[in-house]
Amino acid sequence: MTRYALITGASSGIGLAMAEALARRGRNLLLVARQRDRLESIAIELTQRFGVEVLFRACDLSEPLRLSGFLLELEDGERQIDLLVNCAGIGTCGPFLGQDWMTEQDLIEVNILALTRLCHAVGNSMALHGGGQILNVASIAAFQPGPWMSTYHASKAYVLHFSEALRIELRKCAIKVSVLCPGPNHAVFFAKAQADEQKLRSNKKSMSPEEIALYAVRALDRDRAIIIPGRRNRLIAMLPRLAPRWLVRTLAGIFNKTCYSRCPPSDLKTRAR
Ligand SMILES: NC(=O)c1ccc[n+]([C@@H]2O[C@H](COP(=O)([O-])OP(=O)(O)OC[C@H]3O[C@@H](n4cnc5c(N)ncnc54)[C@H](OP(=O)(O)O)[C@@H]3O)[C@@H](O)[C@H]2O)c1
């Protein structure tokens, strides 16, 4: 059976950078996202540059039936997934009660449900085939509650805790589980989340998706449990453990609200979901 690394959210940002970093190491890939054309051109490019086999599957992970179809294909096929990178994710920014409910639901479907289901399906297959590795992408947002990005922070806290717990449970099946917690880094994600990129990054030295992916791939080699690229981000992740929770949530709220309110209302209305 040919072995593949399955990467969700591979059509842009960190997922795409992970695909390139793994292809560079000679890994065959199975890429998943919604944009078929993007995936096709990425697959062609990576195959030409690195001589690896790159398959792709357009799938909307916010639709459980489509995900079921994809998982059935995985079961039937001759492909063995020995690395799962759950990178697809959505962010929203602004007052919770003012959010479009369908966008919030999609966030929960993609960031939590699809990720969990993929870990379950692919994890069972890995256990049958002698093991594997799972990398779930959370965020430094996972380390504190985030008023004005409530569902996003909560979804990433889920990913962090779930991954840490799985790491212990799946050890006996020879499945290594890690969680990647990047800091704010890249424009496409902020535009989709309707947040002020300049303010959120607030640091000219914030890492690019390529730097994050390289850091993550090296940390996977060392089987690191929680992977936080960047010294500043590691400090931000540690501070909530030292400060009282009321202070942590208040400061996070002030920070997020500033980023949100810097976006002109007209801009917010015109940005795509
Ligand atoms: N950017 C940051 O600053 C930052 C910081 C910390 C953590 N993260 C996390 O890193 C991960 C990747 O983010 P990014 O910055 O690379 O964002 P991005 O460039 O917006 O990429 C998101 C990826 O997820 C895919 N996706 C979104 N909705 C999907 C759906 N319903 N079904 C299938 N695929 C879907 C997108 O592909 P299609 O549009 O083709 O479907 C895209 O490939 C996310 O989990 C995010 O929470 C990002």
Side-chain angles (χ1 to χ4, degrees), residues 18-28 50 52 213-222:
M18 284 296 298
E20 184 172 334
L22 291 168
R24 196 180 292 279
R25 288 173 159 226
R27 300 288 306 240
N28 296 321
F50 302 110
V52 292
L214 188 62
Y215 187 92
V217 166
R218 287 178 179 158
L220 281 180
D221 288 341
R222 284 174 287 154

Side-chain angles (χ1 to χ4, degrees), residues 10-248:
S11 65
S12 76
I14 299 169
L16 171 57
M18 284 296 298
E20 184 172 334
L22 291 168
R24 196 180 292 279
R25 288 173 159 226
R27 300 288 306 240
N28 296 321
L29 304 174
L30 172 51
L31 310 179
V32 177
R34 287 166 301 182
Q35 301 173 71
R36 173 182 295 280
D37 294 351
R38 281 281 298 152
L39 291 177
E40 187 169 17
S41 57
I42 291 165
I44 292 169
E45 190 199 323
L46 293 180
T47 304
Q48 284 173 351
R49 281 174 64 198
F50 302 110
V52 292
E53 192 180 345
V54 185
L55 308 174
F56 64 91
R57 173 68 154 79
C59 178
D60 188 338
L61 297 173
S62 70
E63 295 190 23
L65 279 177
R66 292 191 191 276
L67 179 53
S68 299
F70 172 56
L71 293 177
L72 271 177
E73 281 170 29
L74 275 186
E75 268 177 33
D76 289 348
E78 282 296 295
R79 298 179 282 267
Q80 188 189 334
I81 308 299
D82 64 349
L83 171 62
L84 167 65
V85 181
N86 269 311
C87 192
I90 304 173
T92 57
C93 190
F96 173 67
L97 294 183
Q99 297 294 329
D100 167 44
W101 172 249
M102 289 316 294
T103 311
E104 293 297 290
Q105 185 167 317
D106 283 354
L107 183 152
I108 293 166
E109 292 279 1
V110 176
N111 295 13
I112 298 179
L113 287 171
L115 175 142
T116 310
R117 220 175 144 193
L118 278 158
C119 284
H120 186 261
V122 177
N124 269 308
S125 163
M126 284 175 178
L128 275 178
H129 292 97
Q133 199 161 21
I134 296 176
L135 176 69
N136 289 329
V137 181
S139 161
I140 53 166
F143 294 93
Q144 65 275 308
W148 285 277
M149 287 183 84
S150 312
T151 42
Y152 181 70
H153 278 244
S155 73
K156 294 302 178 180
Y158 172 90
V159 175
L160 174 64
H161 286 230
F162 173 64
S163 308
E164 283 193 78
L166 274 194
R167 182 176 175 87
I168 303 293
E169 270 192 52
L170 302 190
R171 199 181 278 159
K172 65 174 189 309
C173 315
I175 301 173
K176 300 169 183 172
V177 182
S178 302
V179 57
L180 173 65
C181 301
N185 64 82
H186 123 92
V188 179
F189 186 79
F190 296 128
K192 289 182 195 162
Q194 301 182 336
D196 184 329
E197 186 206 350
Q198 294 306 323
K199 200 74 183 171
L200 263 173
R201 289 169 76 140
S202 73
N203 177 6
K204 291 194 175 66
K205 291 183 193 144
S206 69
M207 296 170 83
S208 67
E210 291 73 24
E211 288 169 320
I212 291 170
L214 188 62
Y215 187 92
V217 166
R218 287 178 179 158
L220 281 180
D221 288 341
R222 284 174 287 154
D223 187 24
R224 298 283 292 275
I226 302 175
I227 304 166
I228 307 176
R231 205 177 304 152
R232 181 173 175 266
N233 293 327
R234 285 193 285 280
L235 184 68
I236 293 171
M238 193 186 67
L239 286 178
R241 278 185 272 157
L242 307 175
R245 283 189 75 83
W246 67 264
L247 181 60
V248 170

